[in-house]
Amino acid sequence: MTQATKNRLNRVRSILVSQPKPTDERSPYFHLTEKYKIKIDFRPFIQVEPVSVKDFRKQKIEILKHTAVIFTSRNAIDHYFGICQELKIEMPADMKYFCISEQTAHYLQKYIVIRKRKLFVGTRTAADLFDFFKKHKSEKYIFPCSDIRKDDIPQFLSKNNIDFTEAIIYHTVAADLSDLKDIKYDILAFYSPSGIKSLLDNFPDFEQGKTRIAAFGPTTAQAVKDMNLIMDIEAPLPNAPSMTGALELYIKKANKI
């Protein structure tokens, strides 16, 4: 923590998380609320809009010419299989699936019977899949994604001369946050550069003032800096691998617990 952020170490009474409210009652966010008696609200700062079949066809992608699919999110899974359904495409039994995490792989069960498929699962980040890609260089990959996505997977595949097609199947756009105009929070927690962009799209004259900003991941942290905002809380940390962990460490210092 820099001297500048130490000087902003004021008491925390409220947090706005730029994501949907967790459905699991065991979420660490609810634990923070109860333990430290603070208000935590949830509001998605971005929303997803599917690409129409008409616009997908303009990309001239033949799904069944590929032998493997790369999934990095639930949105990608939903919209990929949505497109397939509209195009009356059924996934062949020998299609391989490369999922960024266990959670993503588990969600895939909504559409396929996993035990009958060839599945490769990372731990948490795209880099976890790179060794799998190297071992399966002969596959023809399709990478369903948003028009706003990280470069790590396409760059790795291109660098290693691995055949892949990027398929834009949904758009990530700013949500309407106009109702938050006069509502103030001590901390705003962001998980993606898109969330930061949405904040400034909605409030071009946003003045940070005493509002602290928490950012998860290096690309989100960079987006905060690029927008000339002050990042007070960065996650993950060696002693706090999650956003909630980093927030808890900050709350303890700020509230002198």
Side-chain angles (χ1 to χ4, degrees):
M1 186 179 292
T2 65
Q3 188 59 47
T5 54
K6 284 182 180 178
N7 294 339
R8 293 164 49 79
L9 200 62
N10 301 312
R11 186 174 183 82
V12 177
R13 295 182 177 87
S14 61
I15 300 173
L16 179 62
V17 181
S18 59
Q19 285 197 326
K21 184 176 181 178
T23 55
D24 187 348
E25 61 184 18
R26 297 168 297 177
S27 167
Y29 277 113
F30 300 142
H31 172 73
L32 289 182
T33 298
E34 294 174 9
K35 186 174 181 179
Y36 299 104
K37 308 304 178 187
I38 58 177
K39 175 186 178 183
I40 301 182
D41 290 336
F42 301 88
R43 177 67 178 276
F45 274 41
I46 57 175
Q47 61 189 39
V48 168
E49 296 179 351
V51 166
S52 68
V53 169
K54 180 181 178 182
D55 287 338
F56 179 78
R57 283 192 171 120
K58 290 178 182 177
Q59 298 179 58
K60 297 181 179 179
I61 296 170
E62 294 188 40
I63 291 174
L64 293 180
K65 282 194 172 182
H66 299 84
T67 60
V69 191
I70 303 168
F71 287 125
T72 58
S73 71
R74 293 183 178 187
N75 279 326
I77 292 173
D78 283 336
H79 294 292
Y80 176 77
F81 283 99
I83 286 285
C84 288
Q85 184 177 15
E86 289 196 63
L87 294 174
K88 295 181 170 54
I89 292 174
E90 188 172 335
M91 288 296 97
D94 59 351
M95 182 70 80
K96 296 182 178 68
Y97 299 91
F98 293 75
C99 297
I100 197 169
S101 66
E102 288 284 354
Q103 291 90 340
T104 307
H106 181 74
Y107 190 74
L108 188 56
Q109 293 181 101
K110 181 177 177 181
Y111 297 96
I112 65 170
V113 179
I114 286 182
R115 68 177 183 274
K116 295 182 179 180
R117 307 295 174 122
K118 295 179 180 178
L119 191 66
F120 305 89
V121 184
T123 305
R124 189 169 60 87
T125 68
D128 297 327
L129 294 175
F130 291 172
D131 283 341
F132 290 131
F133 295 153
K134 285 181 179 178
K135 291 175 183 176
H136 300 272
K137 290 188 72 169
S138 62
E139 302 295 339
K140 293 184 177 181
Y141 294 89
I142 183 168
F143 178 33
C145 58
S146 165
D147 55 329
I148 300 174
R149 53 100 180 114
K150 294 180 181 179
D151 295 330
D152 39 12
I153 288 177
Q155 284 181 351
F156 179 85
L157 295 173
S158 296
K159 183 179 178 181
N160 288 273
N161 297 314
I162 298 173
D163 190 348
F164 80 100
T165 303
E166 187 175 317
I168 306 300
I169 55 169
Y170 63 98
H171 298 295
T172 304
V173 299
D176 180 4
L177 306 175
S178 55
D179 58 304
L180 296 178
K181 183 177 181 181
D182 299 316
I183 302 175
K184 304 295 183 183
Y185 289 88
D186 295 320
I187 296 176
L188 301 178
F190 294 96
Y191 282 83
S192 71
S194 301
I196 304 290
K197 183 176 183 298
S198 175
L199 173 69
L200 298 180
D201 283 349
N202 276 275
F203 310 111
D205 300 321
F206 173 76
E207 293 184 7
Q208 186 172 354
K210 294 182 179 180
T211 301
R212 268 89 13 112
I213 288 180
F216 188 87
T219 56
T220 308
Q222 188 59 49
V224 174
K225 296 171 186 175
D226 290 345
M227 298 297 183
N228 296 316
L229 298 172
I230 300 170
M231 183 178 61
D232 301 273
I233 306 158
E234 185 172 5
L237 297 170
N239 56 342
S242 64
M243 174 67 90
T244 49
L247 286 171
E248 183 167 18
L249 289 178
Y250 186 88
I251 291 166
K252 285 180 178 178
K253 292 177 183 176
N255 295 10
K256 298 179 181 178
I257 297 171

